[in-house]
Amino acid sequence: PGAPGEAVELVLDLVKLIGATAMLTDIIESDGLMTSAHLLPQLVSAALLNATVDQPGWKDVRKLAGRAYIAATSGFVSQDDPESLQMLSLHNRENIVRSLDVMISALRALRDDIEDGKDKLVKDRLQAALTGRKNWMNERTLANWVEMQREPPDYPSLNERLLGGIIGRRSKKK
């Protein structure tokens, strides 16, 4: 907020020059996005470690833990250090709690379907996860972000800022 329109346009032009697409968000939206994409994976990794390491049977489990376990726990050790993750989580508490609630709900639903022996629902949940990941990876590879194809924000022109918008409004109406 408050950045000069020319500065924003310059950055947008630079982003286009390198073949990328700018993503404009405000601080609150950015915190929510980063929670799901950056913080939640780390917290889930930490929770998996807490649910397994030093628990009864870990001495045997650790001998069998392989690629899947390494991949699932790497989010915790390859990003922020524990102190930074703690600070980021506590300063973004509302988004973190919401995201953790969604994660817990997804785990609970999967757990309940497994407990109840609901073969089709378990298969459907796992298939939906696989399809979602494939779609995301394909979109990421192609950088085909349909949601990002929106109109750029309407920043006030230099005339609007200098002359109170009198000239700028007339030219836009025409």
Side-chain angles (χ1 to χ4, degrees), residues 127-147:
Q127 187 59 51
L130 180 61
T131 300
R133 187 178 195 285
K134 283 181 180 177
N135 289 342
W136 165 66
M137 290 300 294
N138 186 42
E139 291 166 348
R140 183 166 173 77
T141 300
L142 298 173
N144 184 14
W145 309 115
V146 175
E147 300 84 9

Side-chain angles (χ1 to χ4, degrees), residues 6-164:
E6 291 82 9
V8 174
E9 287 301 320
L10 179 65
V11 171
L12 292 175
D13 289 343
L14 176 64
V15 168
K16 284 180 189 174
L17 274 174
I18 63 171
T21 304
M23 183 174 178
L24 302 174
T25 67
D26 62 31
I27 273 187
I28 294 169
E29 183 182 14
S30 179
D31 281 349
L33 296 172
M34 290 306 292
T35 294
S36 294
H38 183 73
L39 299 176
L40 183 62
Q42 292 181 79
L43 294 172
V44 169
S45 292
L48 175 58
L49 287 161
N50 287 333
T52 53
V53 176
D54 297 329
Q55 297 298 316
W58 173 248
K59 288 183 180 185
D60 292 325
V61 172
R62 67 184 179 169
K63 298 172 190 173
L64 302 173
R67 285 187 204 160
Y69 190 85
I70 291 167
T73 59
S74 66
F76 180 64
V77 297
S78 65
Q79 297 294 319
D80 299 307
D81 60 83
E83 293 80 18
S84 296
L85 184 55
Q86 171 199 6
M87 182 195 68
L88 290 168
S89 297
L90 292 175
H91 286 258
N92 194 7
R93 193 174 313 172
E94 185 177 323
N95 284 314
I96 293 291
V97 169
R98 179 189 45 76
S99 292
L100 286 172
D101 285 345
V102 170
M103 183 64 167
I104 291 165
S105 177
L107 285 170
R108 169 97 33 214
L110 180 60
R111 176 220 173 273
D112 290 349
D113 290 345
I114 291 170
E115 181 181 46
D116 296 340
K118 296 180 179 174
D119 293 352
K120 181 168 176 11
L121 288 177
V122 172
K123 181 180 178 182
D124 289 349
R125 286 184 195 284
L126 297 176
Q127 187 59 51
L130 180 61
T131 300
R133 187 178 195 285
K134 283 181 180 177
N135 289 342
W136 165 66
M137 290 300 294
N138 186 42
E139 291 166 348
R140 183 166 173 77
T141 300
L142 298 173
N144 184 14
W145 309 115
V146 175
E147 300 84 9
M148 292 179 69
Q149 294 177 355
R150 51 188 155 159
E151 291 296 315
D154 188 19
Y155 293 106
S157 69
L158 183 60
N159 285 338
E160 288 176 315
R161 285 185 311 206
L162 292 176
L163 302 173

